[in-house]
Amino acid sequence: MAKSFLTDIKKHFGDGNYAGDEFGGARGTSGQGLPTGGPGNFMFATGIECSYPTIEHGKVRRDLLEECGHYEHWQKDLQLVKDLGLKVLRYGLPYHKTHLGPGEYDWEFADKVMAEMQRLGITPILDLLHFGVPDWLGNFQNPELPVHFADYCGAVAERYPWVRYYTPINEIYVTAKLSAKDGIWNEQLRSDEAFVTAIKHLVAASIMGNQQIARHRPDCVIVQSESAEYTHELRTERTPHIQLENKLRFLALDLLYAHHPDGEVYQYLHDNGLTRKEYDWFMVGEPPGYQIMGNDYYGRNERMILPNGEVLTASDVMGWFNITHDYYLRYHKPVMHTETNVFDPEQAPTWLWKQWVNILQMRKLGVPVLGFTWYSLIDQVDWNRGLEAKEGTVNACGLYDMDRNPRPVAEAYRQLLQEYGQITIIPHGELFEQNSRPATLKVEI
C-alpha cells in the first residue's frame, strides 16, 4: 500500500487539521482554529431595558430602568455584562431625566455609568431615545422635536467622545405606531394622520441627531434598531388595510435611508399630511457615518390573521432570517440582530440557538452581519401588555432575574460565546481594520 500523505503530516504536526470556520472566522475552541484572543470582531451583545413612554395621557411615566432596578444596581449590571464575556452593550441613557430643557442637561447618572463602562472595557451602542421624550417636549406630534433632540445628540457626542456606536432613536416605526395609531403611549392618538406626523418627526429627529453626532465623531456607526415585522393574512380575499400595513413596516427605514416607497404608500403619506417639500427633504440622501440596519425579532413580531379575524402569534414561521433578508434586499445595508427574547425562561436557551441559526444562515448567503443581541440583561416588566398598564408583572426574559441570578439562557449564551466568540463580522474580516479616521462619502461605480 502506498504511503499516505497523512503519515508525514501527523509526524510533523500531530493529529490536528486547521478547522476552517465556514462562517468566516476563527473558532478559538478546543485548540482548533486561531487561539482565543484572535481577531474576532463580531459584536455579541446584550442590552439594558430602558423604555420610558408615558401612559394614561401623560399622567404616568413608565421608566424601566427604575422598574427593573438598574438605577440601584447599575454597577452590578455592568459587571454581569463583563463576567458573561460580552464586550458590547446596547445602553439607553435616560433621555427624559437627562435633557431638562433647551440647552439644559443633568449628566450625573450618565457620567457615572459611562465612566464605569469605559473602565470595564464595554463598548456601548448608545440608545438616545427609547419610546418617550422629556415632559417639556410633550410627545411626537411636536414639530420642534427634531431640533431639540439634535441638540441633545450633539451634547452626548461631545461629552463622551470615545463612543462610536449609536442608535439615535430606537424602533421608530413601533414608537410612532403605538403612540399615534394604536393609542397606547405618549400622545395616545388613533389616526393615520397622527401616525404620519409622529413618524416624520421621529425620522427627522433621527437624521438631525445623526448629523450632530457626526460633527463630533465623523466615523460614527449608526445601528438603527427597527422591528422585523410581518403579518400573514390567511384569507383568500385579502384585506387592503392589512396589505398596506405590510408595506408601512418599511416606512421609517424608507424615509431614513432615502428609499422611495411605492405609489400606494406615497399616496398614503400625502393623504395624511406629509407634504411634497417634506418628502423631498427625506429623499435627499442618507445620514452621515456608517449605517447599519438593526432588525429586532420576537415571536410576536410575526402575526397570523385567521379567516374569522382572530390574530395569532406566528412565532418563527418566517423568522428573523427570512424577514430580515427582505429588508436587506430592499436597503443593502450591513445587518445586526439587535433584539430578541422569549418570556418562558425554560424555552429561552432553545430560542437563543434558533436565532443564532438564523444568523449563520444569513452569513452563508454572504450578507455582512455585524452582531447579535439577547435583549435584555435583566428581566423586564409589563411587556406582556406592551407597558400599557402599570401592573408590575415580571417578564422572565432576561439573562438574569430581578435578583441578578442567572437564568438558563445565560449559560446558553456563555456556551455560544465559547464556541463562536472569535468569528469575524464578514469572512476573513481580520483583513479589515477598524480605525478612527473620519468617515468619507461612499462612491458607487
Side-chain angles (χ1 to χ4, degrees):
M1 181 181 293
K3 177 182 175 183
S4 169
F5 71 92
L6 291 175
T7 302
D8 283 343
I9 289 177
K10 183 175 180 179
K11 180 179 179 181
H12 286 85
F13 302 107
D15 291 326
N17 178 20
Y18 173 68
D21 179 3
E22 63 176 312
F23 306 111
R27 290 182 61 189
T29 59
S30 305
Q32 299 176 353
L34 297 178
T36 300
N41 62 2
F42 187 89
M43 298 174 71
F44 291 98
T46 186
I48 305 290
E49 166 54 9
C50 62
S51 302
Y52 39 80
T54 60
I55 57 174
E56 298 184 19
H57 299 284
K59 297 176 184 176
V60 175
R61 169 77 67 178
R62 300 306 303 262
D63 184 343
L64 271 289
L65 288 175
E66 178 180 0
E67 294 177 49
C68 299
H70 182 66
Y71 290 136
E72 180 181 357
H73 300 293
W74 62 269
Q75 288 176 297
K76 174 67 172 177
D77 291 347
L78 296 180
Q79 189 62 50
L80 288 175
V81 174
K82 180 76 170 180
D83 292 347
L84 194 56
L86 297 170
K87 298 179 181 178
V88 179
L89 180 67
R90 287 197 63 209
Y91 192 83
L93 300 176
Y95 180 37
H96 62 298
K97 289 189 170 187
T98 305
H99 198 180
L100 305 181
E104 298 181 34
Y105 308 99
D106 179 355
W107 301 109
E108 182 180 0
F109 178 74
D111 281 350
K112 291 188 296 185
V113 175
M114 295 302 290
E116 181 68 0
M117 223 179 293
Q118 191 174 25
R119 185 186 75 81
L120 292 172
I122 295 172
T123 297
I125 302 175
L126 276 192
D127 180 345
L128 300 184
L129 192 162
H130 203 112
F131 297 148
V133 294
D135 290 340
W136 64 273
L137 270 176
N139 55 52
F140 301 116
Q141 303 298 301
N142 184 356
E144 296 181 359
L145 173 65
V147 171
H148 292 300
F149 180 68
D151 287 344
Y152 172 67
C153 291
V156 172
E158 182 177 24
R159 194 167 189 87
Y160 309 113
W162 55 277
V163 175
R164 186 182 184 191
Y165 296 86
Y166 286 90
T167 300
I169 298 180
N170 175 72
E171 290 190 349
I172 294 171
Y173 171 78
V174 173
T175 304
K177 188 172 185 293
L178 270 66
S179 298
K181 198 169 186 180
D182 296 344
I184 295 175
W185 299 337
N186 303 305
E187 53 261 50
Q188 292 186 243
L189 298 175
R190 296 177 180 269
S191 75
D192 291 319
E193 185 175 358
F195 170 69
V196 170
T197 298
I199 210 160
K200 72 182 182 183
H201 291 164
L202 282 158
V203 177
S206 183
I207 291 170
M208 299 310 297
N210 190 162
Q211 290 183 4
Q212 293 305 305
I213 291 167
R215 287 183 64 245
H216 299 279
R217 188 74 201 237
D219 67 337
C220 60
V221 178
I222 305 300
V223 183
Q224 181 53 50
S225 174
E226 203 65 43
S227 60
E229 303 263 339
Y230 194 78
T231 299
H232 305 270
E233 186 177 14
L234 303 180
R235 296 171 173 140
T236 55
E237 186 173 340
R238 300 301 177 88
T239 307
H241 84 271
I242 295 173
Q243 299 310 302
L244 177 61
E245 287 291 327
N246 273 335
K247 294 181 179 181
L248 292 179
R249 66 195 171 113
F250 294 118
L251 183 52
L253 292 178
D254 280 353
L255 296 179
L256 188 68
Y257 294 149
H259 183 284
H260 291 280
D262 74 5
E264 183 182 13
V265 173
Y266 177 79
Q267 189 66 51
Y268 170 85
L269 292 170
H270 182 268
D271 289 346
N272 289 287
L274 185 74
T275 68
R276 176 61 186 267
K277 189 173 182 179
E278 290 170 336
Y279 179 81
D280 289 345
W281 183 84
F282 285 115
M283 293 300 125
V284 165
E286 296 182 13
Y290 300 99
Q291 301 293 322
I292 307 298
M293 183 185 68
N295 283 107
D296 304 344
Y297 181 77
Y298 303 94
R300 57 190 179 271
N301 286 52
E302 220 178 324
R303 296 161 294 277
M304 296 186 295
I305 299 181
L306 304 185
N308 64 1
E310 184 181 359
V311 180
L312 302 178
T313 297
S315 179
D316 230 14
V317 171
M318 291 176 65
W320 182 85
F321 168 77
N322 287 297
I323 298 176
T324 297
H325 194 247
D326 285 345
Y327 283 76
Y328 174 74
L329 292 177
R330 190 177 184 92
Y331 304 113
H332 296 284
K333 300 290 183 206
V335 174
M336 182 169 178
H337 194 327
T338 35
E339 287 185 23
T340 197
N341 68 46
V342 289
F343 290 163
D344 183 342
E346 299 306 315
Q347 294 298 318
T350 300
W351 184 259
L352 172 82
W353 287 111
K354 288 173 69 175
Q355 295 307 299
W356 184 245
V357 168
N358 277 254
I359 287 174
L360 297 183
Q361 291 300 109
M362 189 76 82
R363 288 166 63 90
K364 279 186 176 181
L365 290 183
V367 176
V369 183
L370 179 79
F372 169 71
T373 313
W374 183 270
Y375 199 87
S376 50
L377 179 74
I378 306 300
D379 286 350
Q380 301 177 18
V381 177
D382 288 340
W383 266 109
N384 54 301
R385 293 193 57 187
L387 304 183
E388 66 177 334
K390 199 166 186 178
E391 298 176 340
T393 301
V394 174
N395 309 129
C397 58
L399 295 168
Y400 297 85
D401 65 21
M402 288 292 185
D403 294 322
R404 277 53 184 174
N405 297 314
R407 292 202 176 276
V409 70
E411 181 54 36
Y413 205 173
R414 192 186 302 276
Q415 184 180 348
L416 192 157
L417 288 168
Q418 290 171 349
E419 184 66 18
Y420 290 98
Q422 299 304 309
I423 67 171
T424 55
I425 291 172
I426 58 174
H428 307 295
E430 60 268 26
L431 296 174
F432 302 96
E433 173 195 1
Q434 290 205 39
N435 56 63
S436 59
R437 291 193 296 270
T440 58
L441 291 176
K442 296 178 284 293
V443 178
E444 293 186 4
I445 300 175

